[in-house]
């Protein structure tokens, strides 16, 4: 007997159903939700908006998925976003914090990108070092940076919101390539690269083995500590990139609010996407999870419901999807239906 | 079929019980009867359906068909908790207590004695102490459970089930982690309980223990009921043949396996350990293993066998001494280093150290190979499948497919899976730590045969086992350990069960 769906596809079924339900709701109740217009050769529309707004969460979700699969969690991604944004802005306008409004020489794009990304990776590796080599619980190790990170970002910006203009840097967050918003392109690229790295090499299998049984993995000669550390480093990179997108989009570094609570969105996305314990992970599931959360937010806002309610809805969706994914509950529901028929 | 008429003394009466899992018929019309005041052995190979029967009885699984009566009344249990409140208590092979709670808390978890709406700690500790006293165990009940040995933990689990006034006690492989004295202690408790009228279902792979303690034997095979027999009417050989579904002559053949009583002096030295010591764990010892040699490591539980293996494999560090491999001094600091020197290690606790239950059979087998090859030199899917198929066939692992989750395999097949993982690496020395623990006779003899074959192919094996007959069948030489110290070596004619036991008893001075 051949199963209808392969195991991996089956796990995607429920997140996809949830996403479809949200989209279907909009099809009936939100006018023009599915219309995509082309203005100046650029795509516009609610769907594009969901993808574009969701890009930062999708990026950190990619890193979070791998961390989660090793049996860990990364609470610091929001703070790393703030740090990387703050660094970018500071590099563009180094004198702003001294009260000098004039720009000096334009900082090269390479510097503005590479230094924040490098620092983000180092911060991620620091998390990994604490978890893998020192043996700190992941939730505690990353809580340290979650708490301290936002403070560090504020130190960088001296508590100011640094606003700036930098044409090539702004392209990252608000530019278009082939008519598609550039953040979406970045998400597609990073997803594809991560997929290649994890599924076309042994990395994915090692991560799953480590998450499911670290001791056995160690006995098999897998470099457990190294792999874990690198995973956190990668998560740091993803967060750094997300921070750059946000900062470049709003043309400002706001250390207080950039990436605030996004770590929770990322964790929710990973769980909704079907990566619930350490071990097996689904990159596609996580991306769909992130889309569900973003689609939900966009829907609520376009319906004119106060945005505060978004959080309640999010919680609701997480509960529902988590419940649907429980095999036990499904079996019990089936049982109930059977009994009902009798 | 023996007469199975209803009887007032019957505690459990199971008739025509069936249970299917997707693709497997785990139980097919099974009967089982337990009477008051008897010890009833439930026997069968791995996958015979013993565990499923117990799980249905205790409410972990739902039955498909058949009737279960307890005390003459229809019985259905929704969970093990429910079952235990109805008088059926189970002590599992893997102890189902909470390691970081105190002994007393473990005994009274969920039903702590209360005083003014709060837990009465004093009373609880006192009651726990009394409960253990009944089993002749005198320990500090306020200490964390994990501080005690597996044997004590098991006794605590039994004390717990006694305290909840169980009528039926199910012991699932209770002796697999116990040494001889501890076993005896357990048996005396079992017999005491039996005299008090309790019905005990005893599941074990140790035939001698069955004959020493049981009154009845029920045999299952491949999910079917083979029969129920009074112990006196079923000699050991007959039992084995019923369990295996094989003729007795086949089994005799197993027992007369090659007994190599020569010392491989002509073979090249492979591993030489000199003055190895791990402070506080293992006293200084020398040991060498030649190519193609099967070296046994024997000693009682806790004598330092596993510790020795873990040092050689780089899991634990030695505080002094040298390891030579092929005449070269090597520095093994991690399992990865050991693997690079063509060593392989099948750990004792296959559940926590061996298999990765959430990954598939294929992934479990190729993992170590992939780890050795490195991240960038992944095997193609086709190669992985070829390797997996090859070893599934070679080791006769029973799987429904290459993509079956390893966690769903039976114990014996999981053990073979780990063996397959290491054989795929083509190691020069394979360390086997209790490879036959908790697996059935059929799989045991297959593993023994395999060890023989590997040694003929010039692979060295370090064989750790608590079962002396196994060591004598497989090994040409054995190192004897006692109290975390190597006390000597036996080989050739001197390697018999008798000499080993004498050696251990007399610390190797006298033979």
């Amino acid at each position: 007997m051949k199963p209808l769906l392969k195991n991996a596809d089956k796990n995607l079924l429920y997140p996809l159903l949830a996403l479809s339900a949200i989209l279907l709701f909009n099809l009936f109740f939100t006018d023009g939700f599915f219309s995509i217009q082309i203005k100046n050769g650029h795509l516009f529309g609610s769907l594009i908006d969901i993808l574009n707004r969701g890009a930062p969460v999708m990026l950190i979700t990619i890193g979070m998925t791998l961390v989660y699969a090793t049996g860990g969690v990364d609470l610091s991604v929001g703070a790393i976003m703030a740090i990387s944004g703050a660094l970018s802005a500071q590099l563009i306008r180094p004198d702003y914090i001294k009260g000098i409004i004039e720009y000096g020489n334009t900082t090269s794009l390479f510097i503005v990108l590479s230094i924040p990304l490098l620092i983000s990776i180092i911060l991620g590796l620091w998390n990994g070092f604490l978890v893998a080599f020192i043996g700190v619980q992941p939730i505690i190790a990353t809580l340290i940076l979650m708490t301290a990170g936002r403070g560090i970002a504020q130190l960088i910006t001296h508590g100011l919101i640094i606003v700036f203009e930098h044409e090539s840097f702004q392209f990252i967050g608000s530019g278009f390539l082939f008519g598609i918003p550039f953040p979406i392109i970045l998400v597609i690229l990073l997803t594809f690269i991560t997929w290649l790295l994890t599924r076309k090499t042994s990395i994915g299998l090692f991560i799953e083995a480590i998450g499911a049984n670290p001791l056995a993995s160690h006995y098999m000669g897998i470099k457990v500590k190294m792999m874990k550390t690198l995973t956190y480093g990668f998560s740091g990179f993803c967060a750094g990139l997300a921070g750059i997108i946000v900062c470049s989009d709003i043309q400002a570094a706001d250390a207080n609010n950039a990436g605030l609570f996004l770590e929770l969105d990322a964790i929710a996305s990973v769980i909704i996407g079907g990566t619930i314990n350490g071990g097996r992970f689904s990159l596609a599931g996580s991306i769909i999870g992130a889309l569900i959360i973003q689609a939900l937010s966009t829907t609520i806002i376009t319906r004119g419901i106060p945005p505060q309610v978004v959080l309640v809805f999010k919680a609701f969706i997480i509960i529902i999807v988590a419940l649907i994914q429980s095999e036990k509950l499904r079996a019990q529901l089936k049982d109930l239906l059977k009994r009902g028929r009798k | 079929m023996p007469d199975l008429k209803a009887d007032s003394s019957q505690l459990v009466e199971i008739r025509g019980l069936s249970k299917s899992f997707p693709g497997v018929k785990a139980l097919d019309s099974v009967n089982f009867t337990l009477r008051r005041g008897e010890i009833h052995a439930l026997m069968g190979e791995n996958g015979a359906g013993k565990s499923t029967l117990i799980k249905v009885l205790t409410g972990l699984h739902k039955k498909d068909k058949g009737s279960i009566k307890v005390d003459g009344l229809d019985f259905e249990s929704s969970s093990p908790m429910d079952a235990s409140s109805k008088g059926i208590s189970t002590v599992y092979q893997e102890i189902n207590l909470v390691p970081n709670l105190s002994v007393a808390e473990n005994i009274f978890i969920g039903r702590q004695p209360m005083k003014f709406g709060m837990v009465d700690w004093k009373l609880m500790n006192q009651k726990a102490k009394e409960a253990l006293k009944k089993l002749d165990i005198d320990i500090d009940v306020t200490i964390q459970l994990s501080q005690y040995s597996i044997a004590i933990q098991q006794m605590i689990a039994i004390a717990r089930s006694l305290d909840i006034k169980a009528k039926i006690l199910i012991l699932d492989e209770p002796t697999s982690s116990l040494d001889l004295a501890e076993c005896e202690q357990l048996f005396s408790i079992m017999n005491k309980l039996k005299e008090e009228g309790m019905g005990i279902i005893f599941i074990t792979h140790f035939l001698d223990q069955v004959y020493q303690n049981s009154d009845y034997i029920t045999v299952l095979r491949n999910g079917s009921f083979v029969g129920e027999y009074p112990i006196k009417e079923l000699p050991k050989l007959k039992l084995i043949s019923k369990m295996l579904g094989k003729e007795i002559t086949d089994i005799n053949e197993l027992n007369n396996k090659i007994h190599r009583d020569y010392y491989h002096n002509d073979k090249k030295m492979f591993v030489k350990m000199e003055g190895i010591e791990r402070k506080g764990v293992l006293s200084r010892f020398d040991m060498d293993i030649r190519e193609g040699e099967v070296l046994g490591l024997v000693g009682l539980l806790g004598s330092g066998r596993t510790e020795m293996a873990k040092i050689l494999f780089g899991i634990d560090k030695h505080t002094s001494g040298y390891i030579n491999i092929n005449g070269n001094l090597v520095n093994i600091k991690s399992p990865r280093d050991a693997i690079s020197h063509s060593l392989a290690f099948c750990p004792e606790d296959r559940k926590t150290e061996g298999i990765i239950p959430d990954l598939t059979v294929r992934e479990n087998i190729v993992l170590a190979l992939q780890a050795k090859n490195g991240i960038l030199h992944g095997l193609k899917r086709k190669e992985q499948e070829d390797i997996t198929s090859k070893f599934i066939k070679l080791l006769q692992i029973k799987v429904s497919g290459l993509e079956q989750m390893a966690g769903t395999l039976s114990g014996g097949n999981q053990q073979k899976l780990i063996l397959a993982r290491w054989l795929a690496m083509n190691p020069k020395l394979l360390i086997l730590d209790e490879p036959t623990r908790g697996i059935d006779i059929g799989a045991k003899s297959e593993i023994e045969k395999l060890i023989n074959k590997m040694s003929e192919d010039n692979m060295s094996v370090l064989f750790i086992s608590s079962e002396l007959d196994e060591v004598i069948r497989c090994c040409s030489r054995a190192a004897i350990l006692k109290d975390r110290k190597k006390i000597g070596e036996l080989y050739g004619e001197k390697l018999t069960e008798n000499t080993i036991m004498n050696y251990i008893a007399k610390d190797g001075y006298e033979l």
Side-chain angles (χ1 to χ4, degrees):
Chain A
M1 197 173 64
K2 216 175 171 181
L4 225 66
L5 287 163
K6 271 200 283 177
N7 230 355
D9 307 336
K10 224 188 267 172
N11 295 336
L12 286 185
L13 185 66
Y14 297 101
L16 274 176
L17 275 180
L19 184 58
S20 314
I22 296 173
L23 294 180
L24 211 62
F25 172 86
N26 282 301
L27 179 65
F28 291 120
F29 297 103
T30 313
D31 290 332
F33 188 81
F34 281 85
S35 83
I36 293 176
Q37 290 150 1
I38 301 173
K39 290 180 193 163
N40 309 330
H42 299 161
L43 296 173
F44 282 98
S46 294
L47 289 180
I48 299 296
D49 199 47
I50 289 173
L51 286 171
N52 197 8
R53 294 271 154 257
V57 174
M58 284 193 263
L59 287 176
I60 54 175
T61 298
I62 294 171
M64 187 72 77
T65 306
L66 299 190
V67 170
Y68 220 80
T70 63
V73 68
D74 189 350
L75 294 181
S76 70
V77 285
I80 294 181
M81 281 177 71
I83 293 176
S84 97
L87 277 171
S88 296
Q90 170 65 13
L91 286 165
I92 291 171
R93 245 184 143 173
D95 295 332
Y96 187 79
I97 51 171
K98 293 177 201 149
I100 301 168
I101 306 297
E102 290 81 23
Y103 287 81
N105 299 327
T106 313
T107 324
S108 81
L109 183 63
F110 176 76
I111 301 272
V112 180
L113 293 181
S114 60
I115 291 183
L117 284 178
L118 197 70
I119 299 287
S120 301
I121 293 172
I122 291 171
L123 290 173
L125 290 174
W126 161 253
N127 282 333
F129 170 76
L130 286 181
V131 171
F133 289 90
I134 308 291
V136 184
Q137 295 244 3
I139 199 163
I140 297 168
T142 57
L143 185 66
I144 296 172
L145 191 54
M146 179 189 180
T147 316
R150 220 159 267 287
I152 295 172
Q154 278 174 351
L155 287 176
I156 294 169
T157 62
H158 283 221
L160 301 168
I161 294 177
I162 304 180
V163 289
F164 58 83
E165 278 178 24
H166 188 293
E167 209 175 315
S168 53
F169 181 69
Q170 278 161 237
F171 180 81
I172 309 227
S174 50
F176 287 82
L177 191 65
F178 313 121
I180 302 168
F182 193 64
I184 301 180
I185 306 258
L186 280 177
V187 170
I188 294 172
L189 261 176
L190 192 71
T191 310
F192 181 67
I193 291 170
T194 312
W195 176 79
L196 274 184
L197 276 175
T198 52
R199 295 306 179 198
K200 291 291 145 187
T201 71
S202 314
I203 294 176
L205 184 59
F206 291 167
I207 287 177
E208 291 180 330
I210 291 168
N213 192 339
L215 196 59
S217 304
H218 175 59
Y219 286 7
M220 273 183 265
I222 296 173
K223 292 178 181 164
V224 176
K225 290 177 180 174
M226 190 53 78
M227 289 294 297
K228 272 192 184 174
T229 309
L230 290 178
T231 313
Y232 283 89
F234 180 70
S235 177
F237 169 78
C238 294
L241 193 57
I244 286 174
I245 288 178
V246 170
C247 166
S248 135
D249 186 29
I250 61 172
Q251 295 177 41
D254 179 354
N256 273 322
N257 294 308
L260 194 63
F261 298 140
L262 285 199
E263 60 278 339
L264 302 183
D265 277 358
I267 293 169
S269 306
V270 171
I271 293 170
I272 290 174
T275 309
I276 293 173
N277 299 316
R280 282 265 183 256
F281 68 90
S282 164
L283 213 51
S286 299
I287 294 286
I288 294 170
L291 282 175
I292 289 175
I293 287 188
Q294 189 58 46
L296 194 71
S297 311
T298 306
T299 305
I300 292 168
I301 292 164
T302 51
R303 300 288 310 151
I305 302 168
Q308 299 90 308
V309 184
V310 174
L311 295 174
V312 179
F313 271 90
K314 267 186 203 167
F316 199 62
I317 285 281
I318 295 170
I319 293 172
I320 290 180
V321 178
L323 282 178
I324 291 175
Q325 282 182 340
S326 150
E327 264 176 50
K328 206 170 164 189
L329 183 88
R330 288 210 301 269
Q332 278 170 350
L333 282 179
K334 261 186 204 163
D335 218 46
L336 264 177
L337 280 176
K338 250 193 216 163
R339 274 188 212 174
R341 264 182 232 144
K342 274 179 195 168
Chain B
M1 198 182 285
D3 189 12
L4 295 167
K5 267 186 291 181
D7 189 312
S8 65
S9 71
Q10 285 181 2
L11 267 176
V12 180
E13 191 185 354
I14 294 175
R15 291 292 172 268
L17 186 70
S18 296
K19 171 74 193 172
S20 293
F21 295 110
V24 199
K25 190 136 199 183
L27 289 177
D28 188 8
S29 223
V30 167
N31 299 333
F32 180 76
T33 311
L34 181 70
R35 295 155 206 85
R36 243 174 269 282
E38 80 173 12
I39 298 177
H40 196 131
L42 186 57
M43 303 293 292
E45 287 206 276
N46 286 321
K50 295 168 297 184
S51 301
T52 314
L53 180 65
I54 297 307
K55 282 178 181 164
V56 173
L57 180 61
T58 55
L60 218 57
H61 292 323
K62 279 210 160 56
K63 66 184 179 195
D64 294 344
K65 257 196 303 192
S67 75
I68 302 177
K69 282 184 181 170
V70 172
D71 267 341
L73 299 170
D74 277 327
F75 178 83
E76 185 153 6
S77 152
S78 57
S79 69
M81 198 68 137
D82 187 31
S84 85
S85 72
K86 290 172 179 166
I88 301 183
S89 207
T90 315
V91 177
Y92 292 100
Q93 184 175 4
E94 287 88 16
I95 290 163
N96 50 341
L97 297 174
V98 190
N100 53 4
L101 290 185
S102 78
V103 172
E105 282 172 305
N106 266 293
I107 295 179
F108 287 100
I109 194 164
R111 43 190 195 92
Q112 300 97 323
M114 304 296 261
K115 197 161 126 191
F116 310 126
M118 286 190 284
V119 175
D120 185 348
W121 292 97
K122 217 174 146 190
L123 182 67
M124 186 168 97
N125 290 337
Q126 187 195 331
K127 276 176 119 182
K129 226 171 162 66
E130 281 165 16
L132 287 166
K133 265 269 164 57
K134 281 186 203 153
L135 305 181
D136 296 326
I137 294 167
D138 189 18
I139 54 172
D140 185 350
V141 295
T142 58
I143 292 179
Q144 269 196 16
L145 179 81
S146 54
Q147 301 291 313
Y148 290 107
S149 70
I150 299 281
I152 296 287
Q153 293 188 24
Q154 211 145 36
M155 304 292 178
I156 291 165
I158 293 173
R160 173 181 157 77
S161 53
L162 293 187
D163 204 77
I164 50 182
K165 309 216 162 41
K167 291 178 286 190
I168 297 155
L169 179 63
I170 301 168
L171 297 171
D172 188 356
E173 291 288 352
T175 55
S176 51
S177 325
L178 306 191
D179 68 28
L180 221 58
E182 291 166 335
C183 282
E184 286 307 325
Q185 196 181 355
L186 176 69
F187 296 149
S188 79
I189 290 168
M190 281 166 64
N191 281 302
K192 198 171 142 198
L193 297 174
K194 166 185 153 180
E195 270 152 37
E196 288 167 10
M198 192 185 260
I200 298 174
I201 303 175
F202 183 38
I203 301 176
T204 181
H205 283 103
F206 298 101
L207 298 183
D208 290 336
Q209 297 178 355
V210 170
Y211 282 88
Q212 186 187 341
N213 298 293
S214 317
D215 306 299
Y216 279 89
I217 300 179
T218 289
V219 181
L220 302 180
R221 189 173 66 238
N222 289 334
S224 305
F225 178 69
V226 176
E228 183 198 60
Y229 313 90
I231 193 91
K232 289 196 185 88
E233 291 172 22
L234 191 70
K236 217 187 261 185
L237 267 180
K238 241 182 175 166
L239 169 64
I240 295 170
S241 82
K242 292 219 185 286
M243 284 166 61
L244 294 176
K246 284 179 189 163
E247 288 305 312
I248 291 173
T249 46
D250 294 345
I251 297 155
N252 275 331
E253 209 173 293
L254 288 181
N255 286 329
N256 295 332
K257 277 183 4 94
I258 314 167
H259 181 135
R260 265 168 308 144
D261 51 359
Y262 54 88
Y263 187 37
H264 289 261
N265 263 329
D266 51 330
K267 295 272 187 171
K268 221 177 115 205
M269 191 67 77
F270 180 54
V271 174
K272 201 167 172 64
M273 298 167 86
E274 280 175 287
I276 297 287
E277 179 180 16
R278 180 171 161 81
K279 281 238 161 63
V281 175
L282 207 56
S283 313
R284 187 178 294 262
F285 69 94
D286 299 331
M287 199 167 67
D288 51 46
I289 307 166
R290 287 164 192 276
E291 282 182 356
E293 182 183 29
V294 183
L295 174 67
L297 273 189
V298 291
L300 300 175
L301 201 77
S303 58
R305 303 167 307 186
T306 301
E307 288 77 2
M308 206 179 244
K310 284 192 169 169
I311 287 172
L312 179 56
F313 197 63
I315 293 168
D316 292 331
K317 289 179 180 59
H318 49 273
T319 44
S320 64
Y322 307 97
I323 299 177
N324 284 288
I325 289 182
N326 273 334
N328 301 316
L329 185 66
V330 294
N331 188 6
I332 297 178
K333 286 180 299 190
S334 68
R336 208 179 156 75
D337 292 339
I339 291 166
S340 74
H341 291 294
S342 295
L343 307 189
F345 176 54
C346 290
E348 178 181 16
D349 187 348
R350 58 179 165 259
K351 212 170 168 188
T352 60
E353 303 174 329
I355 66 151
I356 299 185
D358 296 340
L359 295 188
T360 68
V361 168
R362 169 183 56 85
E363 288 168 328
N364 264 282
I365 290 181
V366 300
L367 247 174
L369 201 56
Q370 294 273 39
K372 191 183 175 192
N373 285 354
I375 284 163
L376 295 175
H377 304 277
L379 294 165
K380 292 211 174 59
R381 183 65 175 245
K382 182 81 180 49
E383 293 173 88
Q384 298 186 9
E385 284 171 357
D386 288 347
I387 292 169
T388 310
S389 306
K390 180 179 146 199
F391 282 101
I392 285 177
K393 214 172 138 201
L394 182 76
L395 302 181
Q396 296 172 16
I397 308 176
K398 283 193 199 99
V399 293
S400 66
L402 305 189
E403 303 304 313
Q404 186 183 356
M405 290 297 154
T408 62
L409 296 176
S410 70
N413 284 313
Q414 288 183 357
Q415 186 66 63
K416 288 182 184 172
L417 189 70
I418 301 168
L419 265 174
R421 172 192 294 160
W422 290 116
L423 292 182
M425 312 269 295
N426 204 6
K428 290 206 186 97
L429 170 67
L430 181 61
I431 305 167
L432 298 170
D433 194 354
E434 297 281 6
T436 62
R437 161 170 301 174
I439 69 175
D440 60 75
I441 298 170
K444 254 181 204 178
S445 74
E446 278 169 36
I447 285 175
E448 283 180 24
K449 264 186 207 155
L450 195 76
I451 292 172
N452 257 312
K453 197 184 158 288
M454 291 184 302
S455 128
E456 276 159 23
D457 295 341
N458 224 20
M459 188 189 291
S460 314
V461 178
L462 187 60
F463 184 69
I464 302 175
S465 175
S466 301
E467 293 181 41
L468 295 183
D469 56 327
E470 221 170 66
V471 173
I472 286 157
R473 272 201 300 277
C474 296
C475 303
S476 45
R477 182 166 62 106
I480 321 289
L481 284 90
K482 186 183 180 181
D483 299 338
R484 303 185 174 273
K485 200 175 154 194
K486 181 179 165 189
I487 54 172
E489 287 184 6
L490 290 170
Y491 54 89
E493 287 168 359
K494 285 185 179 168
L495 185 62
T496 68
E497 292 189 33
N498 225 341
T499 50
I500 292 175
M501 285 187 290
N502 269 304
Y503 213 77
I504 292 173
K506 293 174 187 162
D507 268 354
Y509 291 131
E510 216 39 68
L511 262 184

